Amino acid sequence: MTAEMQSPLSPDKDWWRGAVIYQIYPRSFQDSNDDGIGDLKGITARLSHVADLGADAIWISPFFTSPMKDFGYDVSNYVDVDPMFGTLADFDGLIAEAHRLGIRVMIDLVISHTSDQHPWFVESRSSKNNPRSDWYVWSDAKPDGTPPNNWLSIFGGSAWQWDPTRMQYYMHNFLTSQPDLNMHNPEVQDAVLDAVRFWLKRGVDGFRLDTINFYFHDKLLRDNPALAPERRNASTAPAVNPYNFQEHLYDKNRPENLEFLKRFRAVLEEFPAIAAVGEVGDSQRGLEIVGEYTSGNDKMQMCYAFEFLAPDPLTPARVAEVQQAFAKAAPEGWACWAFSNHDVVRHVSRWGADVVDRDAFAKQLAAILLTQRGSACIYEGEELGLTEADIAFEDLQDPYGIQFWPEFKGRDGCRTPMVWDSHAVKAGFSTSEKTWLPIPVEHVIKAVDTQQGREDSVLEQYRRFLAFRRQHPAFAKGDIVFYPEEGGVLIYSRTLGNETLLCVFNMSAAPASAGLPVGAWQPLEGHGFTSTVKDNRIELPAWGAYFARRA
């Protein structure tokens, strides 16, 4: 295989619009060398699962060289694979197999910060006058020795760490071992864009940009103002974190980012059919920032904020409110929605603590996610209906959870290894005596082999519904219109061209009914839900759904 690859997939520049993206957390997908940690060869061996599911693309969380203080989100070499995960040749093999199966490959890009072990930072901190002295955010102390301002790290404490060699503070939005790059420096921008080209030349089809609104800081280092208690929420940080007490006007969300994103998009345009999705983490202005970053067709193709990743219960009103808020904030934009990912409590647990029939609940939530206006991300294991794992303190790996335990238990509960075979050692994930996180018994009984071919399983419903979605392009690319909520029933339509599709969901644990909207409707089949229509009223079982096409 040559170092520069061209994807054999169709050169459709619009492939991302309405795509279904399957997120893989590489440490937890499949271990191929029996060290208890997943790797690239393991992903390659399991790609048929993603293809059988019906996803259009995969997004792989970081696998770059890293000391793993934040499990790969602390990069020490942007253009190589950490030996824990394999080699560049292994990555090339993964790309080839994914493309053979018709799956596009997106990879995480973590460029707001690096590891403190990255050679760039090692050089930067060595003196105040070396060639990379201005590649990170450095500042003198106040006269009393305290940090230059009141900015906080999202992982706890000040966002400033003292460095005795330079006798200055450096900025870190996350761990102290994750210093922030100074994106005001054009040389830094050039360096990270060179890394983007490196992976594009290896055949990747796109990127997920981590913490995209954290790239730039205020050059004047002004203090963030306090945020009134009534405006605080826990959508991007747990309620126990004082990070929520500030309005983050100056440590992130800076207007200079727009010009950099145009530079980034220009690099993508050098290659055919490349797309990117940005993670916008802001509790007050998330959707507004998404609108800025996706406007004008010259920056990001897609972004996501945390509206559907937050603890707030999912209700008919909430679904409509989020979609309508997005349409207002980002009229030119395109969202990429997810209910779960590697940073939040799995949604079946987050929203379903009191739900008895978790499988029915999981099936309905999948149908709601996959019929929203926008692209969709499925997080590994959600297609099995996996719940959040309860990890004992002594087994915790996540520094975020260790810092705020027990009020916030961190992110390990959603990162446990994937379960493939209920009869195999370590559920088919690994043959190692110990895996990097324990595998809960309640997950093992939901392994792929226990659901494969069983028509009433969550897995088969995901496969069935994804196939149903592909038959109706309006679900992927159509406009969305909401009807008034009726007794806990969510109703909306999706329209593309001459096709209008009706989606009705009983978001409760008791049977419910709703009036059929005015017009002639033809029921659709093949989606896996059962309901009846009598006297122009739709009768829905608990967690039921109904789909129809305007005749």
Side-chain angles (χ1 to χ4, degrees), residues 112 137 149 151 160 171 173 180-185 189 211-225 243 247-262 279-282 285-286 288-294 299-300:
S112 72
V137 184
N149 60 30
W151 297 351
W160 297 96
M171 179 186 173
N173 272 304
D180 270 52
L181 284 164
N182 178 19
M183 296 291 275
H184 290 288
N185 185 334
Q189 294 187 27
T211 59
I212 190 174
N213 56 313
F214 286 70
Y215 289 174
F216 284 82
H217 66 285
D218 174 45
K219 281 186 172 182
L220 300 179
L221 303 184
R222 287 171 283 188
D223 280 349
N224 284 327
Y243 188 84
E247 185 163 13
H248 294 275
L249 298 182
Y250 299 116
D251 53 345
K252 62 182 183 181
N253 306 330
R254 303 302 300 159
E256 296 94 331
N257 203 21
L258 297 174
E259 288 305 312
F260 171 73
L261 294 180
K262 290 178 183 178
E279 175 199 33
V280 174
D282 190 79
R285 294 183 53 234
E288 180 185 337
I289 295 167
V290 168
E292 294 172 357
Y293 290 3
T294 57
K299 296 177 282 295
M300 301 299 293

Side-chain angles (χ1 to χ4, degrees), residues 284-356:
Q284 281 69 49
R285 294 183 53 234
L287 289 179
E288 180 185 337
I289 295 167
V290 168
E292 294 172 357
Y293 290 3
T294 57
S295 66
N297 194 32
D298 60 353
K299 296 177 282 295
M300 301 299 293
Q301 285 94 342
M302 304 174 281
C303 279
Y304 71 86
F306 280 70
E307 276 65 24
F308 286 146
L309 294 167
D312 313 64
L314 196 70
T315 63
R318 178 65 174 163
V319 175
E321 171 192 298
V322 169
Q323 280 283 3
Q324 290 162 355
F326 180 86
K328 181 179 180 181
E332 300 176 7
W334 190 258
C336 185
W337 303 112
F339 288 171
S340 287
N341 68 18
H342 65 290
D343 279 335
V344 300
V345 173
R346 287 187 177 273
H347 62 261
V348 171
S349 296
R350 193 169 78 244
W351 294 328
D354 300 322
V355 173
V356 175

Side-chain angles (χ1 to χ4, degrees), residues 139-190:
S139 177
D140 292 330
K142 288 181 177 179
D144 63 358
T146 56
N149 60 30
N150 71 345
W151 297 351
L152 296 174
S153 161
I154 202 166
F155 283 178
S158 171
W160 297 96
Q161 177 70 17
W162 181 252
D163 182 79
T165 301
R166 283 185 55 143
M167 294 287 287
Q168 286 183 308
Y169 283 98
Y170 66 85
M171 179 186 173
H172 61 94
N173 272 304
F174 300 93
L175 296 174
T176 58
S177 57
Q178 292 171 296
D180 270 52
L181 284 164
N182 178 19
M183 296 291 275
H184 290 288
N185 185 334
E187 291 181 355
V188 173
Q189 294 187 27
D190 291 344

